[in-house]
Amino acid sequence: MTRIDTSVDVLLRVNGSARRLRVDTRVTLLDALRDELDLTGTKKGCDQGACGACTVLLDGKRVLSCLTPTAQCDGRDVTTIEGLAPDGRLHPVQEAFIRHDGFQCGYCTTGQIVSAVALLQEGRAGSDEEIREFMSGNLCRCGAYPNIVAAIRDVAGRGTE
Ligand code: FES
Ligand code: FES
């Protein structure tokens, strides 16, 4: 039986660096990041689009990398949690999560932080209600929600209210 090669060549710009990959068309961006590029900061929770643990930025917009085929990312910019602190200095959102204790086990945290960075860029941090609404795709089994909201509110410049 002839096996059909379903691999494709993909050129990604990941955290500012060009990365060339040859992947099967079924490989998700999440698996490519973790297994091919060794960027394991992006977490696999549900692997079916329900938890937000795998959130990354694609051309500056947040996406669920477990639902994003790598082949569709050819020529595009990907930012992962590692890309938020490229020179070892934490991003203001990362600092705020530490300051406000915005995590417990930490499994959801990288997705929460990447999502929060995008939410702030989208101008969706006008109220706690808005933050909760636009962070609703990022689940936290530890229930760190109040502290996550506090961290985002802080970075948005709305103090501790
Ligand atoms: S791992 Fe992607 S949404 Fe849960
Ligand atoms: S900190 Fe444990 S799942 Fe969110």
Side-chain angles (χ1 to χ4, degrees), residues 86-105:
D87 54 5
R89 276 194 52 206
L90 294 182
H91 187 281
V93 174
Q94 292 175 305
E95 288 177 342
F97 267 63
I98 293 170
R99 208 161 45 244
H100 291 275
D101 240 351
F103 51 89
Q104 288 180 37
C105 77

Side-chain angles (χ1 to χ4, degrees), residues 12-16 29 33 56-59 73 76-80:
L12 307 176
R13 193 161 183 82
V14 183
N15 300 330
L29 180 57
L33 290 169
V56 299
L57 304 182
L58 186 59
D59 292 337
C73 301
R76 302 177 73 182
D77 276 308
V78 180
T79 305
T80 68

Side-chain angles (χ1 to χ4, degrees), residues 28-30 47-50 54 64-69 72:
T28 65
L29 180 57
L30 174 60
D47 207 21
Q48 54 185 14
C54 65
L64 298 173
S65 60
C66 72
L67 295 185
T68 306
Q72 283 183 6

Side-chain angles (χ1 to χ4, degrees), residues 92-93 96 99-100 116 119-121 123-128 131 148-161:
V93 174
R99 208 161 45 244
H100 291 275
L119 170 142
L120 286 155
Q121 283 165 359
R124 298 292 191 183
S127 66
D128 287 2
I131 293 170
I148 291 169
V149 171
I152 297 171
R153 184 201 301 139
D154 189 358
V155 182
R158 290 196 301 107
T160 49
E161 279 184 13

